[in-house]
CSV table of all heavy atoms in Angstrom, one decimal:
chain,number,residue,atom,x,y,z
A,59,LEU,N,-7.1,48.6,4.7
A,59,LEU,CA,-8.3,48.4,5.6
A,59,LEU,C,-7.9,47.9,6.9
A,59,LEU,O,-8.4,48.3,8.0
A,59,LEU,CB,-9.3,47.5,4.9
A,59,LEU,CG,-10.0,48.1,3.6
A,59,LEU,CD1,-11.0,47.1,3.0
A,59,LEU,CD2,-10.6,49.4,3.8
A,95,PRO,N,12.6,9.1,-0.9
A,95,PRO,CA,12.8,8.6,-2.2
A,95,PRO,C,12.3,9.5,-3.3
A,95,PRO,O,13.0,9.7,-4.3
A,95,PRO,CB,12.1,7.2,-2.2
A,95,PRO,CG,12.0,6.8,-0.8
A,95,PRO,CD,12.0,8.1,0.0
A,96,GLN,N,11.1,10.0,-3.1
A,96,GLN,CA,10.5,10.9,-4.2
A,96,GLN,C,9.8,12.1,-3.6
A,96,GLN,O,9.0,11.9,-2.6
A,96,GLN,CB,9.6,10.1,-5.1
A,96,GLN,CG,10.3,9.1,-5.9
A,96,GLN,CD,9.5,8.5,-7.0
A,96,GLN,OE1,8.4,8.0,-6.8
A,96,GLN,NE2,10.1,8.6,-8.2
A,116,GLU,N,6.5,8.0,12.0
A,116,GLU,CA,6.2,9.2,12.8
A,116,GLU,C,7.5,9.8,13.2
A,116,GLU,O,7.7,11.0,13.1
A,116,GLU,CB,5.3,8.9,14.0
A,116,GLU,CG,4.9,10.2,14.6
A,116,GLU,CD,3.9,10.0,15.7
A,116,GLU,OE1,3.0,9.1,15.6
A,116,GLU,OE2,3.9,10.8,16.7
A,136,VAL,N,3.7,18.1,9.0
A,136,VAL,CA,3.6,17.0,8.1
A,136,VAL,C,2.3,16.2,8.3
A,136,VAL,O,2.0,15.9,9.4
A,136,VAL,CB,4.8,16.0,8.3
A,136,VAL,CG1,4.8,14.9,7.2
A,136,VAL,CG2,6.1,16.7,8.3
A,199,THR,N,-22.6,17.4,5.7
A,199,THR,CA,-21.8,18.4,6.3
A,199,THR,C,-20.4,18.0,6.7
A,199,THR,O,-19.4,18.7,6.5
A,199,THR,CB,-22.5,19.1,7.5
A,199,THR,OG1,-22.8,18.1,8.4
A,199,THR,CG2,-23.7,19.8,7.1
A,218,VAL,N,-16.9,13.0,-12.2
A,218,VAL,CA,-15.8,12.0,-11.9
A,218,VAL,C,-14.8,12.6,-10.9
A,218,VAL,O,-14.2,11.9,-10.2
A,218,VAL,CB,-15.2,11.5,-13.2
A,218,VAL,CG1,-14.5,12.7,-13.9
A,218,VAL,CG2,-14.3,10.3,-13.0
A,237,LEU,N,6.1,14.0,-10.9
A,237,LEU,CA,7.4,14.4,-10.8
A,237,LEU,C,7.9,15.4,-11.8
A,237,LEU,O,9.0,15.9,-11.8
A,237,LEU,CB,8.4,13.2,-10.7
A,237,LEU,CG,8.0,12.3,-9.5
A,237,LEU,CD1,8.7,11.0,-9.6
A,237,LEU,CD2,8.2,13.0,-8.2
A,276,LEU,N,8.8,32.1,-21.9
A,276,LEU,CA,8.7,31.2,-23.0
A,276,LEU,C,10.0,30.5,-23.3
A,276,LEU,O,10.0,29.3,-23.5
A,276,LEU,CB,8.3,32.0,-24.3
A,276,LEU,CG,6.9,32.3,-24.7
A,276,LEU,CD1,6.9,33.1,-25.9
A,276,LEU,CD2,6.1,31.0,-24.9
A,289,PHE,N,-4.8,43.2,-22.2
A,289,PHE,CA,-5.9,43.9,-21.6
A,289,PHE,C,-5.4,45.0,-20.7
A,289,PHE,O,-4.3,45.1,-20.3
A,289,PHE,CB,-6.8,42.9,-20.8
A,289,PHE,CG,-6.1,42.5,-19.4
A,289,PHE,CD1,-6.4,43.3,-18.3
A,289,PHE,CD2,-5.3,41.4,-19.3
A,289,PHE,CE1,-5.8,42.9,-17.1
A,289,PHE,CE2,-4.8,41.0,-18.1
A,289,PHE,CZ,-5.0,41.8,-17.0
A,296,ASN,N,-12.3,52.3,-6.6
A,296,ASN,CA,-12.0,53.6,-6.2
A,296,ASN,C,-12.9,54.7,-6.7
A,296,ASN,O,-12.7,55.9,-6.5
A,296,ASN,CB,-10.5,54.0,-6.5
A,296,ASN,CG,-10.4,54.2,-8.0
A,296,ASN,OD1,-11.3,53.9,-8.8
A,296,ASN,ND2,-9.2,54.7,-8.4
A,303,ALA,N,-10.9,46.7,-21.4
A,303,ALA,CA,-10.9,46.3,-22.8
A,303,ALA,C,-9.8,45.3,-23.0
A,303,ALA,O,-8.8,45.3,-22.2
A,303,ALA,CB,-10.7,47.5,-23.7
A,304,SER,N,-10.0,44.4,-23.9
A,304,SER,CA,-8.9,43.5,-24.3
A,304,SER,C,-8.9,43.2,-25.8
A,304,SER,O,-10.0,43.4,-26.4
A,304,SER,CB,-9.0,42.2,-23.5
A,304,SER,OG,-10.2,41.5,-23.9
A,367,ALA,N,20.0,36.0,-31.1
A,367,ALA,CA,19.9,37.3,-30.4
A,367,ALA,C,19.3,37.1,-29.0
A,367,ALA,O,19.8,37.6,-28.0
A,367,ALA,CB,19.1,38.3,-31.2
A,400,ARG,N,8.4,48.0,1.6
A,400,ARG,CA,9.3,47.3,2.7
A,400,ARG,C,9.8,46.0,2.1
A,400,ARG,O,9.3,44.9,2.6
A,400,ARG,CB,8.5,47.1,3.9
A,400,ARG,CG,8.4,48.4,4.8
A,400,ARG,CD,8.0,48.0,6.2
A,400,ARG,NE,7.3,49.2,6.8
A,400,ARG,CZ,6.7,49.1,7.9
A,400,ARG,NH1,6.7,48.0,8.6
A,400,ARG,NH2,6.2,50.2,8.4
Side-chain angles (χ1 to χ4, degrees):
Chain A
L59 294 181
Q96 292 194 306
E116 191 171 326
V136 187
T199 54
V218 67
L237 299 173
L276 271 179
F289 75 87
N296 69 349
S304 68
R400 282 198 204 170

